[in-house]
Amino acid sequence: MNNSKCAITHNRRRPTRIIRCIYVVGFMDLFGVSMIIPLLSHHVKSLGASPTVAGIVGSTYGVLQLFSSTVVGSWSDVVGRRYSLLTCLLLSAFGYGLLGLSTSIALFVLARIPVGLFKHSLSICRALLSDLVSEKERPLVMGHFNAASSVGFILGPVVGGYLTEHEGGFYLSSFVCAAIFLLNAGLVWMLPWSETLNHRIDANANSKTKPSKSYDELKNSVQQNCSDKNHVRHPNASAVRSQTNGGWGWRDISVVQPAWRQLTSVWIQIRMVASSDMWDVFLVRLLMAVSIMLYYSNFSLAMEERFQLKPKVTGYLISYSSMLGALAGCLVGPVTHLYNNNMSALLLHSTALTCTLIFLYATAPNVWQVVLTSTFFAISTTIGRTCITDLELQRGGAQASGTLIGAGQSVTAVGRVLAPLLSGLAQEVSPCGPASLGVVLGLVAVGLLLVRTPKWDSKTRVKDKSPKQ
């Protein structure tokens, strides 16, 4: 009987339904956000803010993201993906709804606070995908998720621009964005979460070397050790039965534990990541984030000054590059397969290519070279972002995927703070100054990878050769 049950679990597929639903969540998330982003600076100025005040108000979101990304990511490891994702979506919807009521600068700033603190739905989705797939499948799934999200980011401004043409267009766009986040929350609520438990049982059964373990023992092992990564902990048998049958009750989730225990668990997770030997991975992420942001920081102005290109044509070039970046997400899986899932080598090569392309852009004698570099730049940066995320999860361990992805987003937020300052200083020298500085930072990242990659590979080989428990 036990053998037949195990045979059934081996034949089960990975949870494709929930993975596809997460793709939809990612698409709708950035679709709603990108409706609002181009309109924020115009709206805050229409409320009477000076350029300085508008800049300070605009930086509120980035500063809050800097400090909250790691905390919320770690919190999702503690209380589970479902509850944390629902919380982030609902509070983000509240923030965008409040933005639709902002008739003063104070209300505008107040509306940005919940969004800045809890707009981490994409990070939690990535952590959930990491929980659901194997290490070899992870780059492929992450690439598809990034592609779906990027398509939403491309289409959103079109709808937002159309709505803005109507009277009270900004407020209408804000309410539509809030409605999209509410729809996303409803979709997350209705996801087939029972598939995540079945998939964990399958993965655990396939990894066990002892055939004597029964299906029930494997199930109990999964529920004991892995359920908190997916969405729920099982404090009693009734909770287990509830989840197994696809049901859900608020009494079943781990959020009922005291707040101090949640905070303690979050602090332990963050301290473990902070004390780990991952400074090199995060430093490469920071260097390349700043380098890429410097490339885009004055792109329109540089095109106008260097090649007398009209803003409309520059906009077409940016849209072309963005569309290629979205399509490049589908190339991540085949490319990683070509590299035999050697993510450190792929990251080194994509970083070197990105650095070279920024150099070619900075020294381009004509527009056609810029178009050529933009084509390959979109592909290399898309692959590089997926590589660095996957490498963080490999080095840090998937058991803290939310904390690791959140920490990576915090590092990127630091880059968003540094890039405008460095870009302003570099533009004092030349229109190509930001791109030239980006080349220098990219070279530093390549040098760091050349030094550290052999150590990463040696650790991976030692880990693979170690006997499984």
Side-chain angles (χ1 to χ4, degrees), residues 45 49-59:
K45 288 179 181 179
S50 64
T52 303
V53 173
I56 295 174
V57 171
S59 65

Side-chain angles (χ1 to χ4, degrees), residues 97-150:
L98 192 60
L99 193 65
L101 301 174
S102 58
T103 54
S104 66
I105 297 177
L107 274 176
F108 185 90
V109 174
L110 184 63
R112 298 299 285 166
I113 291 176
V115 177
L117 289 176
F118 293 99
K119 176 58 186 71
H120 301 292
S121 44
L122 292 180
S123 297
I124 298 175
C125 284
R126 291 188 178 97
L128 178 57
L129 290 173
S130 175
D131 296 341
L132 294 176
V133 299
S134 65
E135 189 172 301
K136 289 186 177 181
E137 293 176 310
R138 189 166 59 206
L140 173 66
V141 173
M142 291 290 188
H144 290 170
F145 177 78
N146 291 337
S149 303
S150 298

Side-chain angles (χ1 to χ4, degrees), residues 422-438:
L422 295 176
S423 177
L425 294 174
Q427 286 182 69
E428 296 289 343
V429 180
S430 166
C432 298
S436 301
L437 181 56

Side-chain angles (χ1 to χ4, degrees), residues 138-139 142 146 278-289 292 332 336 343-344 346-348 350-351 380-396 404-405 408-409 411-412 445 448-449 456:
R138 189 166 59 206
M142 291 290 188
N146 291 337
M278 293 184 60
W279 62 269
D280 43 11
V281 182
F282 289 125
L283 182 56
V284 170
R285 174 184 276 273
L286 177 62
L287 290 170
M288 291 311 299
I292 293 169
V332 174
T336 54
M343 302 306 292
S344 55
L346 180 55
L347 178 62
L348 173 61
S350 66
T351 302
S380 67
T381 52
T382 299
I383 294 175
R385 279 194 297 267
T386 305
C387 283
I388 194 68
T389 301
D390 193 80
L391 199 57
E392 288 168 357
L393 294 172
Q394 284 185 19
R395 293 282 309 282
L404 292 167
I405 293 176
Q409 293 304 310
V411 172
T412 304
L448 182 59
L449 285 171
W456 298 346

